[in-house]
Short mmCIF file of all heavy atoms in Angstrom, two decimals:
data_model
loop_
_atom_site.label_atom_id
_atom_site.label_comp_id
_atom_site.label_asym_id
_atom_site.label_seq_id
_atom_site.Cartn_x
_atom_site.Cartn_y
_atom_site.Cartn_z
N VAL K 21 0.43 -18.26 -1.02
CA VAL K 21 1.64 -17.73 -0.34
C VAL K 21 1.38 -17.68 1.13
O VAL K 21 0.37 -17.21 1.52
CB VAL K 21 2.01 -16.44 -0.92
CG1 VAL K 21 3.51 -16.06 -0.38
CG2 VAL K 21 2.02 -16.37 -2.39
N ALA K 22 2.53 -18.09 1.90
CA ALA K 22 2.32 -17.82 3.40
C ALA K 22 3.74 -17.47 3.96
O ALA K 22 4.64 -17.97 3.49
CB ALA K 22 1.88 -19.12 4.08
N LYS K 23 3.63 -16.63 4.92
CA LYS K 23 5.02 -16.26 5.53
C LYS K 23 5.06 -16.94 6.99
O LYS K 23 4.18 -17.02 7.70
CB LYS K 23 4.96 -14.74 5.79
CG LYS K 23 5.15 -13.89 4.54
CD LYS K 23 6.45 -13.55 4.25
CE LYS K 23 6.62 -12.16 3.44
NZ LYS K 23 8.07 -12.03 3.13
N TYR K 24 6.21 -17.42 7.30
CA TYR K 24 6.56 -17.99 8.61
C TYR K 24 6.58 -16.61 9.40
O TYR K 24 7.36 -15.69 9.28
CB TYR K 24 7.93 -18.51 8.59
CG TYR K 24 7.96 -19.94 8.61
CD1 TYR K 24 7.34 -20.74 7.69
CD2 TYR K 24 8.61 -20.75 9.72
CE1 TYR K 24 7.31 -22.07 7.67
CE2 TYR K 24 8.66 -22.14 9.69
CZ TYR K 24 7.91 -22.74 8.72
OH TYR K 24 7.83 -24.14 8.70
N LEU K 25 5.74 -16.68 10.57
CA LEU K 25 5.69 -15.45 11.45
C LEU K 25 6.01 -15.91 12.81
O LEU K 25 5.21 -16.38 13.59
CB LEU K 25 4.32 -14.97 11.31
CG LEU K 25 3.96 -13.69 12.14
CD1 LEU K 25 4.72 -12.52 11.49
CD2 LEU K 25 2.59 -13.36 12.25
N PRO K 26 7.36 -15.67 13.19
CA PRO K 26 7.76 -16.11 14.57
C PRO K 26 7.21 -15.16 15.61
O PRO K 26 6.90 -13.97 15.30
CB PRO K 26 9.24 -15.92 14.47
CG PRO K 26 9.72 -15.85 12.98
CD PRO K 26 8.54 -15.21 12.44
N TYR K 27 6.96 -15.79 16.76
CA TYR K 27 6.57 -14.95 17.90
C TYR K 27 6.97 -15.59 19.19
O TYR K 27 7.47 -16.79 19.27
CB TYR K 27 4.98 -14.65 17.92
CG TYR K 27 4.17 -15.94 18.44
CD1 TYR K 27 3.86 -15.99 19.69
CD2 TYR K 27 3.91 -17.07 17.57
CE1 TYR K 27 3.08 -17.09 20.26
CE2 TYR K 27 3.26 -18.16 18.18
CZ TYR K 27 2.92 -18.16 19.38
OH TYR K 27 2.18 -19.23 19.94
N GLY K 28 6.97 -14.80 20.25
CA GLY K 28 7.36 -15.33 21.53
C GLY K 28 7.91 -14.22 22.41
O GLY K 28 8.30 -13.12 21.89
N PRO K 29 8.19 -14.36 23.63
CA PRO K 29 8.87 -13.41 24.58
C PRO K 29 10.17 -13.05 23.86
O PRO K 29 10.88 -13.98 23.42
CB PRO K 29 9.00 -14.14 25.86
CG PRO K 29 7.97 -15.21 25.89
CD PRO K 29 7.83 -15.57 24.49
N VAL K 30 10.46 -11.75 23.94
CA VAL K 30 11.80 -11.26 23.32
C VAL K 30 12.94 -12.10 23.80
O VAL K 30 13.76 -12.54 22.97
CB VAL K 30 11.95 -9.76 23.64
CG1 VAL K 30 13.38 -9.30 23.12
CG2 VAL K 30 10.96 -8.96 22.86
N LYS K 31 13.05 -12.26 25.12
CA LYS K 31 14.23 -13.02 25.69
C LYS K 31 14.33 -14.41 25.11
O LYS K 31 15.46 -14.91 24.77
CB LYS K 31 14.09 -13.12 27.14
CG LYS K 31 15.23 -13.87 27.89
CD LYS K 31 15.07 -13.85 29.43
CE LYS K 31 16.07 -14.54 30.15
NZ LYS K 31 15.89 -14.58 31.57
N ASP K 32 13.15 -15.12 24.90
CA ASP K 32 13.26 -16.53 24.35
C ASP K 32 13.50 -16.52 22.86
O ASP K 32 13.87 -17.56 22.41
CB ASP K 32 11.95 -17.20 24.81
CG ASP K 32 11.79 -17.45 26.19
OD1 ASP K 32 12.74 -17.52 26.95
OD2 ASP K 32 10.64 -17.54 26.78
N VAL K 33 13.04 -15.49 22.36
CA VAL K 33 13.16 -15.45 20.76
C VAL K 33 14.57 -14.99 20.28
O VAL K 33 14.94 -15.28 19.02
CB VAL K 33 12.04 -14.60 20.10
CG1 VAL K 33 12.21 -14.61 18.65
CG2 VAL K 33 10.72 -15.26 20.43
N VAL K 34 15.36 -14.46 21.19
CA VAL K 34 16.77 -13.99 20.75
C VAL K 34 17.59 -14.92 20.11
O VAL K 34 18.25 -14.85 19.13
CB VAL K 34 17.40 -13.36 22.00
CG1 VAL K 34 19.00 -13.26 21.69
CG2 VAL K 34 16.94 -11.90 22.19
N PRO K 35 17.59 -16.26 20.48
CA PRO K 35 18.43 -17.28 19.87
C PRO K 35 17.97 -17.51 18.33
O PRO K 35 18.84 -17.51 17.50
CB PRO K 35 18.16 -18.68 20.59
CG PRO K 35 17.88 -18.03 21.97
CD PRO K 35 17.14 -16.96 21.88
N TYR K 36 16.61 -17.42 18.09
CA TYR K 36 16.16 -17.42 16.74
C TYR K 36 16.68 -16.14 15.99
O TYR K 36 17.11 -16.34 14.81
CB TYR K 36 14.53 -17.47 16.75
CG TYR K 36 14.02 -17.15 15.30
CD1 TYR K 36 13.87 -18.33 14.41
CD2 TYR K 36 13.56 -15.89 14.97
CE1 TYR K 36 13.29 -18.00 13.21
CE2 TYR K 36 13.18 -15.69 13.64
CZ TYR K 36 12.92 -16.60 12.76
OH TYR K 36 12.53 -16.44 11.56
N LEU K 37 16.50 -14.98 16.58
CA LEU K 37 16.78 -13.81 15.86
C LEU K 37 18.38 -13.73 15.49
O LEU K 37 18.70 -13.30 14.44
CB LEU K 37 16.55 -12.59 16.76
CG LEU K 37 15.11 -12.34 16.93
CD1 LEU K 37 14.90 -11.26 17.89
CD2 LEU K 37 14.43 -11.82 15.56
N THR K 38 19.20 -14.23 16.51
CA THR K 38 20.64 -14.21 16.18
C THR K 38 20.95 -15.18 15.19
O THR K 38 21.83 -14.97 14.33
CB THR K 38 21.48 -14.48 17.48
OG1 THR K 38 20.99 -15.59 18.11
CG2 THR K 38 21.26 -13.38 18.44
N ARG K 39 20.25 -16.34 15.14
CA ARG K 39 20.50 -17.31 14.11
C ARG K 39 20.10 -16.74 12.70
O ARG K 39 20.79 -16.99 11.66
CB ARG K 39 19.67 -18.60 14.45
CG ARG K 39 19.86 -19.75 13.36
CD ARG K 39 19.52 -21.05 14.02
NE ARG K 39 18.13 -21.14 14.29
CZ ARG K 39 17.06 -21.22 13.47
NH1 ARG K 39 17.37 -21.43 12.14
NH2 ARG K 39 15.89 -21.31 13.78
N ARG K 40 19.02 -16.07 12.64
CA ARG K 40 18.50 -15.49 11.48
C ARG K 40 19.56 -14.44 10.93
O ARG K 40 19.66 -14.46 9.73
CB ARG K 40 17.08 -14.78 11.72
CG ARG K 40 16.51 -14.05 10.53
CD ARG K 40 16.11 -15.16 9.45
NE ARG K 40 15.23 -16.18 9.91
CZ ARG K 40 15.60 -17.45 9.59
NH1 ARG K 40 16.74 -17.81 8.96
NH2 ARG K 40 14.80 -18.48 10.10
N ALA K 41 20.16 -13.68 11.77
CA ALA K 41 21.06 -12.61 11.53
C ALA K 41 22.34 -13.35 10.88
O ALA K 41 22.90 -12.88 9.90
CB ALA K 41 21.46 -11.79 12.65
N ARG K 42 22.70 -14.41 11.44
CA ARG K 42 23.97 -15.11 11.01
C ARG K 42 23.74 -15.73 9.63
O ARG K 42 24.56 -15.79 8.79
CB ARG K 42 24.47 -16.20 12.01
CG ARG K 42 25.09 -15.62 13.21
CD ARG K 42 25.72 -16.74 14.07
NE ARG K 42 26.56 -16.14 15.15
CZ ARG K 42 26.08 -16.14 16.48
NH1 ARG K 42 24.99 -16.82 16.69
NH2 ARG K 42 26.80 -15.59 17.42
N GLU K 43 22.47 -16.33 9.51
CA GLU K 43 22.05 -16.97 8.26
C GLU K 43 22.01 -15.96 7.13
O GLU K 43 22.48 -16.14 5.97
CB GLU K 43 20.78 -17.71 8.28
CG GLU K 43 20.76 -19.04 9.08
CD GLU K 43 19.50 -19.70 9.45
OE1 GLU K 43 18.55 -19.12 8.76
OE2 GLU K 43 19.45 -20.53 10.10
N ASN K 44 21.52 -14.62 7.40
CA ASN K 44 21.45 -13.68 6.46
C ASN K 44 22.83 -13.30 5.98
O ASN K 44 23.11 -12.94 4.75
CB ASN K 44 20.68 -12.44 7.02
CG ASN K 44 19.31 -12.50 6.70
OD1 ASN K 44 19.02 -12.26 5.40
ND2 ASN K 44 18.51 -12.64 7.65
N THR K 45 23.81 -13.31 6.84
CA THR K 45 25.17 -13.01 6.55
C THR K 45 25.85 -14.11 5.62
O THR K 45 26.62 -13.79 4.78
CB THR K 45 26.03 -12.79 7.91
OG1 THR K 45 25.36 -11.86 8.78
CG2 THR K 45 27.45 -12.26 7.55
N SER K 46 25.48 -15.34 5.93
CA SER K 46 26.21 -16.42 5.33
C SER K 46 25.52 -16.79 4.04
O SER K 46 26.29 -17.39 3.13
CB SER K 46 26.16 -17.72 6.26
OG SER K 46 24.96 -18.16 6.45
N VAL K 47 24.29 -16.50 3.76
CA VAL K 47 23.74 -16.84 2.45
C VAL K 47 24.04 -15.75 1.48
O VAL K 47 23.87 -14.69 1.58
CB VAL K 47 22.06 -16.81 2.62
CG1 VAL K 47 21.44 -17.09 1.20
CG2 VAL K 47 21.69 -17.91 3.58
N ALA K 48 24.74 -16.33 0.40
CA ALA K 48 25.27 -15.43 -0.73
C ALA K 48 24.29 -14.59 -1.26
O ALA K 48 23.37 -14.93 -1.73
CB ALA K 48 26.01 -16.33 -1.72
N GLY K 49 24.57 -13.23 -1.00
CA GLY K 49 23.68 -12.19 -1.78
C GLY K 49 22.36 -11.86 -1.04
O GLY K 49 21.75 -10.92 -1.50
N GLN K 50 21.86 -12.67 -0.08
CA GLN K 50 20.56 -12.41 0.46
C GLN K 50 20.42 -11.00 1.09
O GLN K 50 19.48 -10.24 0.70
CB GLN K 50 20.29 -13.44 1.48
CG GLN K 50 18.89 -13.24 2.21
CD GLN K 50 17.81 -13.48 1.22
OE1 GLN K 50 17.69 -14.41 0.49
NE2 GLN K 50 16.83 -12.41 1.14
N THR K 51 21.42 -10.61 1.85
CA THR K 51 21.21 -9.32 2.61
C THR K 51 21.43 -8.24 1.51
O THR K 51 20.72 -7.24 1.46
CB THR K 51 22.26 -9.19 3.62
OG1 THR K 51 22.15 -10.20 4.56
CG2 THR K 51 22.18 -7.82 4.28
N GLY K 52 22.43 -8.42 0.48
CA GLY K 52 22.50 -7.42 -0.46
C GLY K 52 21.29 -7.14 -1.35
O GLY K 52 20.91 -6.05 -1.74
N ARG K 53 20.62 -8.28 -1.58
CA ARG K 53 19.32 -8.20 -2.38
C ARG K 53 18.24 -7.46 -1.63
O ARG K 53 17.55 -6.52 -2.20
CB ARG K 53 18.67 -9.67 -2.66
CG ARG K 53 19.34 -10.30 -3.88
CD ARG K 53 18.53 -11.47 -4.37
NE ARG K 53 18.51 -12.56 -3.38
CZ ARG K 53 19.39 -13.42 -3.29
NH1 ARG K 53 20.45 -13.39 -3.90
NH2 ARG K 53 19.16 -14.39 -2.29
N GLU K 54 18.16 -7.71 -0.31
CA GLU K 54 17.22 -6.85 0.56
C GLU K 54 17.55 -5.42 0.54
O GLU K 54 16.74 -4.45 0.39
CB GLU K 54 17.19 -7.45 2.00
CG GLU K 54 16.77 -8.85 2.10
CD GLU K 54 15.23 -9.12 1.98
OE1 GLU K 54 14.56 -8.11 1.89
OE2 GLU K 54 14.87 -10.36 1.77
N LEU K 55 18.88 -5.17 0.66
CA LEU K 55 19.26 -3.69 0.73
C LEU K 55 18.99 -3.09 -0.61
O LEU K 55 18.47 -1.98 -0.79
CB LEU K 55 20.70 -3.59 1.08
CG LEU K 55 21.18 -3.83 2.52
CD1 LEU K 55 22.65 -4.05 2.50
CD2 LEU K 55 20.81 -2.65 3.29
N GLY K 56 19.37 -3.72 -1.78
CA GLY K 56 19.17 -3.17 -3.16
C GLY K 56 17.66 -2.91 -3.36
O GLY K 56 17.30 -1.89 -3.88
N LEU K 57 16.68 -3.76 -2.91
CA LEU K 57 15.38 -3.57 -3.17
C LEU K 57 14.78 -2.46 -2.40
O LEU K 57 13.99 -1.61 -2.85
CB LEU K 57 14.53 -4.87 -2.87
CG LEU K 57 14.77 -5.93 -3.83
CD1 LEU K 57 14.39 -7.42 -3.13
CD2 LEU K 57 14.01 -5.85 -5.08
N ILE K 58 15.26 -2.19 -1.13
CA ILE K 58 14.78 -1.19 -0.24
C ILE K 58 15.28 0.17 -0.87
O ILE K 58 14.57 1.19 -0.91
CB ILE K 58 15.29 -1.44 1.23
CG1 ILE K 58 14.54 -2.68 1.82
CG2 ILE K 58 14.98 -0.06 1.99
CD1 ILE K 58 15.29 -3.07 3.17
N LYS K 59 16.57 0.20 -1.22
CA LYS K 59 17.12 1.38 -1.76
C LYS K 59 16.28 1.73 -3.06
O LYS K 59 16.04 2.97 -3.24
CB LYS K 59 18.63 1.23 -2.07
CG LYS K 59 19.35 2.51 -2.58
CD LYS K 59 20.75 2.29 -2.71
CE LYS K 59 21.46 3.69 -3.18
NZ LYS K 59 20.85 4.28 -4.33
N LYS K 60 16.09 0.65 -4.02
CA LYS K 60 15.38 1.07 -5.15
C LYS K 60 13.93 1.70 -4.97
O LYS K 60 13.58 2.57 -5.49
CB LYS K 60 15.19 -0.21 -5.84
CG LYS K 60 14.40 -0.13 -7.29
CD LYS K 60 14.24 -1.46 -7.90
CE LYS K 60 13.39 -1.32 -9.30
NZ LYS K 60 13.07 -2.52 -9.82
N GLU K 61 13.22 1.14 -3.82
CA GLU K 61 12.01 1.61 -3.55
C GLU K 61 12.04 3.13 -2.94
O GLU K 61 11.26 4.00 -3.27
CB GLU K 61 11.20 0.74 -2.51
CG GLU K 61 9.92 1.29 -2.14
CD GLU K 61 8.77 1.48 -3.13
OE1 GLU K 61 9.11 1.19 -4.35
OE2 GLU K 61 7.76 2.04 -2.97
N LEU K 62 12.95 3.34 -2.06
CA LEU K 62 13.20 4.68 -1.49
C LEU K 62 13.54 5.72 -2.64
O LEU K 62 13.06 6.82 -2.68
CB LEU K 62 14.30 4.70 -0.47
CG LEU K 62 13.93 3.93 0.86
CD1 LEU K 62 15.04 3.89 1.75
CD2 LEU K 62 12.88 4.95 1.67
N ASP K 63 14.40 5.22 -3.63
CA ASP K 63 14.70 6.11 -4.71
C ASP K 63 13.40 6.39 -5.52
O ASP K 63 13.18 7.67 -5.97
CB ASP K 63 15.75 5.47 -5.53
CG ASP K 63 17.21 5.49 -4.93
OD1 ASP K 63 17.29 6.22 -3.97
OD2 ASP K 63 18.07 4.74 -5.29
#
């Protein structure tokens, strides 16, 4: 297993971060799954 690990100056990486935020919003259920798992662990 390997994770993609982005790096770079904050200013230059913002386009990546905003694209990632938009993709999370558009991919059905992705953000909801992350939220559900975090809530389950905190509980």
Side-chain angles (χ1 to χ4, degrees):
V21 191
K23 291 265 202 188
Y24 258 55
L25 186 66
Y27 78 96
V30 172
K31 181 178 177 180
D32 291 333
V33 175
V34 159
Y36 167 86
L37 290 171
T38 54
R39 182 163 60 82
R40 181 64 52 231
R42 286 193 176 105
E43 284 170 13
N44 264 293
T45 303
S46 65
V47 175
Q50 179 62 51
T51 303
R53 278 195 297 276
E54 298 289 348
L55 284 166
L57 290 162
I58 294 169
K59 184 176 186 305
K60 181 183 174 186
E61 176 58 12
L62 286 170
D63 289 346

